[in-house]
Amino acid sequence: MIIVLKPDTKQEQKDKLIGWLKELGLGVHVSDGQFKTVLGLIGDTSEVDIDLISSLAIVDSVKRVSERFKCCNRKFHPDDTVVDVGGVKIGGGNFCMIAGPCSVESEEQIIGIAKAVKAAGATLLRGGAFKPRTSPYDFQGLHATGIELLKIARAETGLPIVTEIMSASDLDLFADVDVLQIGARNMQNFDLLREVGKTNKPILLKRGLSATLNEFLMSAEYIMAGGNEQVILCERGIRTYTDYLRNTLDLSAVPMLHELTHLPVIVDPSHATGVARMVRPMAAAAAACGADGIMIEVHNDPMHALCDGAQSITPDEYREVAKIVSKVREAVK
Ligand code: PEP
Ligand code: MN
């Protein structure tokens, strides 16, 4: 249920109403927008008397929210959420360019790529240290060493770092990471979602391989229900019957998610297509449909990459992608 308050409502009147709602055993999410305050009620509202609340002088309107996702619901929080990663803003008109290798392989590799993508316009550096691989015999990432190398690359370039966490038991290792990524395979790892929801770090949540938008948003809800509101959604392609591509990039999810939620929505054309030459057109398309950012895998030597070489573009190609993305953004403004 949401309660929209009249614009001239005083703070003490608001506090009184919120206190009363809490006495009824409800959680209250307060969204103070530019023009109105919206109170989002969390919990069992079936016993709440809508007529009584509607009759209060400070109340403009009361509506039931049928969706099961509440905290991430646009109805609870009409303004866009802007996630702040150490000064780099994402959402609400702030566009992010996340780039870097699938996995961190060596100090030379990550520093070289970090410098190159920064020069091309990247605003955050990605790189996997814990890799969810289909085969247990494939490279699994450098783990703690990988995270240390990302920190060195951050110190060299100033780019905040984004890296995937696969298990809550590793959280200590991620204490100095700027953005925790939850990968597609863990989108419904509810224990992990709950744990990262207790942290104060921005979370980059990737859509599961076959997740509906409702399931995707319910996973964001798990994180937010723990108190962490800094969630970025990432569309990374879903499983369909496509044969020449790794996945199908569901770009219509971007404007639909923007309707349903206030959270920023970014697009990963690398995992979505699995083909390096598809990255540029799909990155441009993502910018055209209003994504709040793009995450791309960039490798200095894709032929010898330890993971996802086929979909990795070179720093030179990334520079071209960044240019076209910025032209498209300008054109659709
Ligand atoms: C990744 O971004 O490194 C990754 C493993 O992606 P996904 O979880 O989308 O497959
Ligand atoms: Mn990858």
Side-chain angles (χ1 to χ4, degrees):
M1 186 183 285
I2 58 165
I3 303 173
V4 182
L5 301 182
K6 291 190 179 147
D8 52 358
T9 305
K10 299 202 172 58
Q11 190 58 45
E12 56 187 76
Q13 294 174 300
K14 257 187 235 179
D15 291 344
K16 201 168 160 203
L17 176 58
I18 292 168
W20 177 70
L21 292 164
K22 286 189 175 163
E23 276 170 26
L24 296 177
L26 298 166
V28 183
H29 179 276
V30 185
S31 171
D32 277 313
Q34 215 183 332
F35 303 109
K36 58 182 178 187
T37 296
V38 176
L39 305 182
L41 307 191
I42 302 158
D44 181 6
T45 56
S46 56
E47 298 295 312
V48 176
D49 184 343
I50 290 198
D51 294 336
L52 176 63
I53 297 174
S54 305
S55 71
L56 300 174
I58 58 169
V59 171
D60 184 53
S61 59
V62 184
K63 276 185 229 124
R64 289 218 177 264
V65 175
S66 51
E67 295 86 7
R68 287 166 73 212
F69 50 90
K70 310 290 179 190
C71 300
C72 64
N73 201 313
R74 174 75 78 185
K75 292 174 189 158
F76 266 46
H77 187 292
D79 296 335
D80 289 340
T81 280
V82 178
V83 173
D84 191 329
V85 185
V88 176
K89 294 192 166 52
I90 306 171
N94 304 284
F95 195 82
C96 70
M97 293 284 284
I98 308 176
C102 180
S103 53
V104 180
E105 297 172 8
S106 69
E107 182 169 338
E108 195 190 358
Q109 176 240 23
I110 192 67
I111 291 178
I113 296 174
K115 286 184 174 163
V117 295
K118 181 174 183 184
T123 49
L124 292 109
L125 174 67
R126 64 147 287 147
F130 288 82
K131 295 303 309 174
R133 304 303 301 276
T134 302
S135 165
Y137 310 117
D138 286 343
F139 177 59
Q140 305 286 310
L142 295 179
H143 295 177
T145 308
I147 293 180
E148 289 311 309
L149 296 181
L150 281 167
K151 289 189 211 164
I152 296 174
R154 175 178 62 193
E156 289 274 332
T157 58
L159 292 177
I161 51 179
V162 183
T163 193
E164 177 165 353
I165 180 162
M166 287 171 56
S167 163
S169 60
D170 294 328
L171 259 171
D172 287 351
L173 289 174
F174 288 73
D176 193 22
V177 163
D178 301 295
V179 180
L180 305 181
Q181 178 174 319
I182 304 289
R185 289 155 194 82
N186 273 316
M187 188 204 82
Q188 287 191 315
N189 181 338
F190 301 117
D191 287 340
L192 180 58
L193 298 176
R194 249 190 233 106
E195 288 305 316
V196 299
K198 292 181 198 157
T199 72
N200 58 2
K201 288 193 184 292
I203 309 297
L204 173 53
L205 177 66
K206 301 192 84 176
R207 183 176 180 183
L209 276 74
S210 61
T212 63
L213 296 186
N214 188 59
E215 288 163 342
F216 193 14
L217 290 169
M218 289 311 293
S219 291
E221 189 74 14
Y222 260 91
I223 300 169
M224 297 180 80
N228 187 347
E229 300 190 340
Q230 301 270 290
V231 181
I232 306 152
L233 302 173
C234 180
E235 164 58 43
R236 47 77 72 204
I238 46 171
R239 268 293 160 82
T240 65
Y241 39 81
T242 184
D243 43 9
Y244 291 97
L245 298 158
R246 187 169 175 183
N247 291 292
T248 296
L249 179 52
D250 181 10
L251 278 183
S252 52
V254 176
M256 182 50 85
L257 285 168
H258 276 145
E259 273 185 33
L260 296 169
T261 180
H262 50 88
L263 297 174
V265 183
I266 69 163
V267 169
D268 168 354
S270 307
H271 291 88
T273 62
V275 180
R277 65 181 186 284
M278 298 294 135
V279 168
R280 177 182 151 126
M282 298 324 286
C289 72
D292 298 296
I294 294 176
M295 178 156 83
I296 292 178
E297 286 191 344
V298 179
H299 199 285
N300 53 325
D301 183 7
M303 296 284 277
H304 295 100
L306 296 181
C307 184
D308 284 349
Q311 68 194 32
S312 300
I313 61 172
T314 63
D316 283 347
E317 289 164 338
Y318 183 69
R319 198 174 320 116
E320 294 309 309
V321 174
K323 272 190 210 152
I324 191 154
V325 163
S326 115
K327 279 190 195 154
V328 171
R329 290 195 58 231
E330 198 53 43
V332 298
K333 231 191 214 164

